[in-house]
Amino acid sequence: MQQWNGYRPGTGYYDELVDGSGTPRPGCQHLLEYLKSLSVQELADRHQAADATIRAMGITFTVYSDGENIDRAWPFDFVPRIIERREWETIQAGLFQRLRALNAFIDDVYNDQRALRDGVVPESVVLKSRDFRPQCQGVSPPHGVWAHVCGTDLVRDKDGTLYVLEDNLRVPSGVSYMLENRHVMKRIFPELFEHSRIMPVDAYPGQLLDTLCSLAPDVPNPEIVVLTPGIYNSAYFEHSYLAQQMGAELVEGRDLVVGEDEYVYMRTIHGLERVDVIYRRIDDDFLDPEAFRPDSTLGVPGLMRAWRKGHVAIANAPGAGVADDKVVYAHVPALIRYFLDEEPILPNVPTYQCVDPDDRAYVLDHLAELVVKPANESGGYGMLIGPAATADERSQFADLIRANPRNYIAQPTLMISTCPTLCDGELEPRHVDLRPFVLQGKSFNVTTGGLSRVALRKGSLVVNSSQGGGSKDTWVVDTAADAGPGAVDDGTVGGAD
Amino acid sequence: MLSRLAENIYWLARYLERTEDTARLLLASAQIQMDLPSGMPMSWHSLLEILGASEPYRARHGSENERAVMRFLISDPAYSGSIAASVRSARENARVTRDQLPREAWEAINGLHYLLQEQAPNAIASRWRRNDLLAAIAAQCQRIQGVLHGSVSRGPRYQFIALGRYLERADMTTRILDVRYASLFPMDGDGNDSYYSSVCWISVLRSLSAYEMYRQDLHGLVRGRDVVHYLLQGERSPRAVGFALARIRQCLEGLPNHQQPAARLEALQAVLATASLVDLSPDAMHEFIDGLQQGFAALHGDVVQTYFRFTP
């Protein structure tokens, strides 16, 4: 008995691979045929092989609360999430548009503050933001770009519309897992890659390197480094992975020193060597104890002086997180119109800002239907999920909102889409989101697809890996290319070899 | 290359070498144990002595019995010289340098870690399981060395790996000779004892996986004085101190600013080459080896000062 035949998407949700009647969506037919051809035993074998591969490849992530075990195997589900290329092209254009507007905004915040004066975003919201850095005022980074790497979270609602859930502009992570998921899939299901036009993802490290090189001061062979807080950081695997893939040095703060000439150097076996571009993966607060937290031991004293002089480029630039704020998020469509004079391609989730009296009144009246989020948290902490909360929790949250309205936004509860996922030997619908990575330097790139995260617990909407979520390989499939001779979507090729 | 990474890679190589050497030593000792009448001087205690583990062992255990000694040397996580602790340190150093190493190397080191984790708990008590495990550990170390040798590009990265490996190896070879010479040399004559003495010296060669090659290079009864010459001054066996020092010299020549450590090395090589080691008393041999080991420690200190800990 094949479990796949019993797969039905949950009612009321959009399933990424099949429609309500169980018919494959465009680009998904071949995968579904293939999965159907596998027996329960074969599914289990592949599942086991995937786990063994991940362990052997040492693909790990760190959970802070996990004591000695600083590297857990990366949780991976082998049923991929599929997006058609035509849809992807729209998404890609929308992401680029968004990042251009965000970068124009950040540059404006630290220089002319035109958008603030014109009231596009309330001045108080920006200047009082936790991530606004007065230390960055008056700086003009190369190409006017501050956020060079952006991880934008997308979710699909029940009618199939993709919404932008949030932009991560500080130190977004996950891209290495996107790349590794593909490696694992190729090892476990080589057959699948013969027949489908799955667009490759491997270009990313090269594009990242190009982006970073384009920021370097005018030197022939710029020295690029990745700055990590060290092996106990939850994303250390990614830091070292990216450094390796780019052929860049992976450095810690203690490896760097700012000279009397205000250039940055690293300590090597040859002595001191100059550093031109730093891809930093540590928070602003810890970058430079002279400029930010004096107790930071992770950073480099004097780094901000070197950066302000243009002696070293930092990606993402210090201060870029000012646009990470969820209140700024609510204004991104307005920023796109203001800075680019274009209509937004990708919609925001409708967002109520508790700082606004009318919105606040609405939110307080409708807490049972809304998700309330603090403006500056990540990792899914400090949220209220209205429909799942008790009356007591809602009233506590109402007090929090009244006490500090600036710190909260609210959004309708989305019916986030699902994807078939192997759970206890059977395929069941589980909720997924998607984080593509967008690069902007001299030029612009978007990953082909992104990191799909999946909530492994039944009914759960929380996809963060630190809270028990898993991940999937994400395929952008070119169905137009499949329409030619030897097409596979006509059902003639399905099945195992 | 970053100083911090150079240091990590150097230690990675030392821990790997220590793991392999210890596994081989224990394996060879278990083999010889089966051949010898009881009371012969290849006891469990001498293993602790060779590995410098007598003090820490006594602090934690009472009597020396096979199982307790083996557990201590193989799997005790609290004893920093155990195989388990060396593998853990090797893996930690590999983890922080994995962006510097071929992926296959990390996977192989990881494999060693899992091998030990999965098999050590059940392997200590039973001799045959334990021997299997020790052989598998040595084989996995060889695999890792093979990957490093076969795929790390020749530059500072490789030089620091080799530097760590050969310094550790020279140290281990002298430790084994030090302890074995003290107990075996008095029997190394032509009397009744000489048969067993020869068997024991063969075991010494085996613990350095040098026996078959020794046979190819020298003929006749295996005698202490020949083995000592072969393993100290010889430059043919990869486990010989002379060979290791020659390799260290090549490594240093490939690294910048090597004047200080290179001068130290030359002095050591000169001492070794000109030493007359024939029929030394155990005390004199001990003194000579002690001098060599102090030289290795000073050389290590020079490497640390020159490449890892300089102040700008």
Side-chain angles (χ1 to χ4, degrees):
Chain A
M1 183 63 201
Q2 286 172 19
Q3 303 299 318
W4 176 258
N5 292 327
Y7 181 77
R8 287 289 175 269
T11 42
Y13 296 105
Y14 181 101
D15 191 273
E16 296 288 337
L17 298 194
V18 297
D19 66 18
S21 67
T23 309
R25 295 193 187 277
C28 302
Q29 179 162 354
H30 177 66
L31 171 72
L32 297 191
E33 293 286 335
Y34 177 77
L35 287 176
K36 273 187 207 175
S37 77
L38 297 177
S39 68
V40 175
Q41 187 55 48
E42 280 171 313
L43 275 182
D45 288 350
R46 301 292 174 111
H47 181 68
Q48 215 176 5
D51 284 352
T53 303
I54 284 167
R55 199 176 78 156
M57 288 165 79
I59 309 171
T60 60
F61 75 108
T62 302
V63 176
Y64 292 119
S65 55
D66 205 17
E68 276 253 305
N69 186 13
I70 70 164
D71 56 335
R72 275 202 209 166
W74 174 244
F76 172 75
D77 178 79
F78 67 65
V79 183
R81 182 244 184 93
I82 293 182
I83 302 170
E84 230 193 324
R85 184 178 180 169
R86 270 164 299 198
E87 182 180 29
W88 187 252
E89 279 165 0
T90 310
I91 295 171
Q92 193 171 317
L95 291 170
F96 178 37
Q97 179 191 52
R98 211 172 159 91
L99 189 58
R100 270 192 301 153
L102 283 165
N103 270 317
F105 170 69
I106 303 168
D107 201 45
D108 184 55
V109 165
Y110 290 115
N111 288 287
D112 304 339
Q113 303 194 341
R114 203 158 54 87
L116 304 187
R117 276 200 312 280
D118 290 348
V120 186
V121 181
E123 190 177 272
S124 66
V125 164
V126 174
L127 302 184
K128 284 184 189 150
S129 163
R130 199 188 62 181
D131 292 302
F132 173 71
R133 307 278 174 213
Q135 297 90 334
C136 299
Q137 279 176 299
V139 176
S140 300
H143 319 296
V145 176
W146 293 67
H148 309 94
V149 184
C150 174
T152 294
D153 290 342
L154 303 174
V155 289
R156 201 192 289 279
D157 199 15
K158 57 177 180 293
D159 64 355
T161 310
L162 269 177
Y163 290 98
V164 175
L165 189 64
E166 63 183 48
D167 306 287
N168 296 286
L169 302 169
R170 280 174 284 194
V171 282
S173 57
V175 75
S176 58
Y177 298 113
M178 173 193 89
L179 299 169
E180 291 291 72
N181 284 352
R182 179 63 54 87
H183 284 289
V184 173
M185 282 300 279
K186 284 179 173 171
R187 279 208 203 179
I188 305 305
F189 291 109
E191 309 91 331
L192 279 171
F193 289 83
E194 281 175 34
H195 299 302
S196 300
R197 283 304 169 92
I198 304 159
M199 300 187 55
V201 293
D202 283 344
Y204 182 82
Q207 291 167 344
L208 177 60
L209 185 62
D210 286 350
T211 302
L212 295 172
C213 284
S214 78
L215 313 179
D218 192 15
V219 287
N221 285 309
E223 183 75 40
I224 315 278
V225 301
V226 177
L227 176 59
T228 174
I231 60 165
Y232 295 101
N233 185 268
S234 63
Y236 181 77
F237 169 83
E238 172 151 309
H239 306 160
S240 90
Y241 181 91
L242 290 176
Q244 182 184 44
Q245 296 288 310
M246 291 193 293
E249 289 285 356
L250 179 67
V251 304
E252 296 179 15
R254 57 190 158 128
D255 298 320
L256 299 182
V257 57
V258 176
E260 278 177 16
D261 54 4
E262 300 199 313
Y263 280 89
V264 180
Y265 296 90
M266 57 183 175
R267 299 169 205 271
T268 77
I269 57 165
H270 298 271
L272 295 180
E273 283 179 12
R274 202 176 117 181
V275 169
D276 301 299
V277 182
I278 299 174
Y279 178 34
R280 57 88 174 236
R281 296 296 299 258
I282 70 180
D283 288 329
D284 283 354
D285 270 345
F286 299 97
L287 264 186
D288 177 354
E290 277 183 18
F292 303 114
R293 282 177 58 155
D295 61 338
S296 167
T297 53
L298 302 174
V300 189
L303 184 57
M304 287 295 283
R305 280 186 278 125
W307 176 69
R308 290 187 65 96
K309 286 214 154 180
H311 288 175
V312 69
I314 301 179
N316 286 345
V322 69
D324 229 33
D325 190 299
K326 291 193 172 64
V327 177
V328 172
Y329 158 85
H331 292 281
V332 171
L335 292 173
I336 291 173
R337 292 186 193 99
Y338 181 79
F339 284 108
L340 309 181
D341 199 18
E342 294 171 11
E343 274 306 302
I345 299 170
L346 292 173
N348 265 15
V349 180
T351 302
Y352 304 97
Q353 300 177 56
C354 298
V355 71
D356 176 280
D358 291 344
D359 277 15
R360 183 165 65 243
Y362 178 88
V363 169
L364 291 173
D365 277 350
H366 294 82
L367 275 182
E369 302 154 24
L370 299 171
V371 177
V372 185
K373 300 175 179 173
N376 275 305
E377 286 293 340
S378 59
Y381 295 101
M383 289 168 45
L384 174 84
I385 299 176
T390 63
D392 224 30
E393 286 166 342
R394 288 200 290 266
S395 100
Q396 278 175 25
F397 238 83
D399 291 343
L400 286 174
I401 293 170
R402 284 191 203 99
N404 187 4
R406 158 68 182 86
N407 195 40
Y408 293 95
I409 58 136
Q411 295 169 337
T413 325
L414 298 184
M415 309 280 279
I416 298 179
S417 64
T418 60
C419 189
T421 300
L422 192 72
C423 301
D424 293 327
E426 302 199 14
L427 290 158
E428 293 186 10
R430 288 291 184 270
H431 297 290
V432 283
D433 79 346
L434 176 63
R435 177 179 288 183
F437 295 85
V438 195
L439 296 173
Q440 189 180 0
K442 192 176 175 189
S443 60
F444 154 83
N445 281 292
V446 180
T447 46
T448 329
L451 177 68
S452 283
R453 295 181 301 176
V454 54
L456 294 175
R457 276 196 303 275
K458 190 165 189 151
S460 171
L461 294 170
V462 181
V463 295
N464 298 71
S465 39
S466 51
Q467 307 206 10
S471 75
K472 289 169 168 290
D473 191 17
T474 307
W475 295 356
V476 173
V477 170
D478 192 345
T479 48
D482 283 344
V488 293
D489 269 3
D490 58 4
T492 54
V493 180
D497 299 326
Chain B
M1 177 178 207
L2 286 178
S3 295
R4 177 174 53 82
L5 294 178
E7 185 169 18
N8 280 317
I9 282 181
Y10 169 82
W11 276 109
L12 164 65
R14 289 200 75 147
Y15 286 124
L16 279 176
E17 183 67 28
R18 190 174 299 176
T19 301
E20 181 182 341
D21 293 348
T22 307
R24 282 186 191 289
L25 176 65
L26 300 191
L27 201 54
S29 306
Q31 299 298 329
I32 187 78
Q33 204 77 15
M34 293 184 259
D35 286 341
L36 295 181
S38 53
M40 288 296 286
M42 300 288 277
S43 67
W44 304 118
H45 175 75
S46 67
L47 289 180
L48 294 172
E49 248 185 285
I50 289 172
L51 295 167
S54 302
E55 290 294 315
Y57 181 87
R58 230 171 285 136
R60 304 220 12 229
H61 300 272
S63 61
E64 282 153 11
N65 65 68
E66 176 177 351
R67 192 184 295 187
V69 169
M70 284 298 166
R71 189 178 301 284
F72 188 68
L73 294 178
I74 295 173
S75 64
D76 192 333
Y79 170 52
S80 65
S82 71
I83 288 180
S86 297
V87 169
R88 190 182 58 213
S89 302
R91 185 162 177 262
E92 280 309 298
N93 280 285
R95 187 209 304 288
V96 293
T97 49
R98 62 190 277 180
D99 59 303
Q100 300 283 312
L101 298 173
R103 170 175 218 142
E104 230 184 305
W106 164 251
E107 291 187 9
I109 291 165
N110 227 11
L112 178 61
H113 167 75
Y114 287 120
L115 173 75
L116 207 64
Q117 268 206 330
E118 281 157 15
Q119 296 191 18
N122 296 320
I124 307 291
S126 134
R127 274 192 182 177
W128 71 266
R129 283 222 186 90
R130 189 174 72 216
N131 289 347
D132 271 1
L133 174 64
L134 290 168
I137 289 170
Q140 185 69 13
C141 287
Q142 286 278 292
R143 187 176 154 217
I144 297 165
Q145 300 285 18
V147 171
L148 294 174
H149 182 79
S151 31
V152 175
S153 58
R154 294 316 193 250
R157 208 174 279 108
Y158 188 82
Q159 311 300 359
F160 280 108
I161 290 173
L163 199 54
R165 175 195 305 148
Y166 287 111
L167 251 177
E168 185 68 32
R169 188 175 291 178
D171 186 57
M172 183 64 101
T173 299
T174 52
R175 279 161 180 266
I176 291 176
L177 283 176
D178 190 21
V179 172
R180 294 303 186 215
Y181 192 84
S183 59
L184 295 177
F185 183 76
M187 304 192 302
D188 204 20
D190 297 314
N192 281 340
D193 283 348
S194 67
Y195 170 73
Y196 279 120
S197 158
S198 180
V199 170
C200 290
W201 281 112
I202 288 172
S203 163
V204 170
L205 289 166
R206 284 228 165 90
S207 62
L208 291 162
S209 63
Y211 175 60
E212 289 79 8
M213 291 301 114
Y214 178 93
R215 277 287 184 219
Q216 299 296 312
D217 294 344
L218 283 90
H219 303 286
L221 187 69
V222 175
R223 281 174 194 278
R225 65 176 73 93
D226 298 329
V227 173
V228 164
H229 176 78
Y230 188 74
L231 290 178
L232 282 181
Q233 291 166 318
E235 295 200 358
R236 296 180 74 154
S237 168
R239 303 271 160 183
V241 175
F243 180 94
L245 294 185
R247 284 302 149 109
I248 291 170
R249 187 171 194 148
Q250 285 178 5
C251 294
L252 289 175
E253 281 163 3
L255 290 172
N257 311 321
H258 58 253
Q259 296 74 8
Q260 172 67 24
R264 178 94 62 185
L265 179 71
E266 273 169 46
L268 256 178
Q269 284 183 303
V271 168
L272 187 64
T274 56
S276 166
L277 302 175
V278 180
D279 294 334
L280 282 190
S281 73
D283 282 350
M285 180 57 82
H286 176 71
E287 205 174 308
F288 177 73
I289 287 182
D290 202 43
L292 283 183
Q293 289 184 333
Q294 281 173 24
F296 301 155
L299 183 54
H300 164 77
D302 288 340
V303 168
V304 169
Q305 271 316 312
T306 308
Y307 300 112
F308 310 151
R309 298 251 185 280
F310 69 95
T311 35

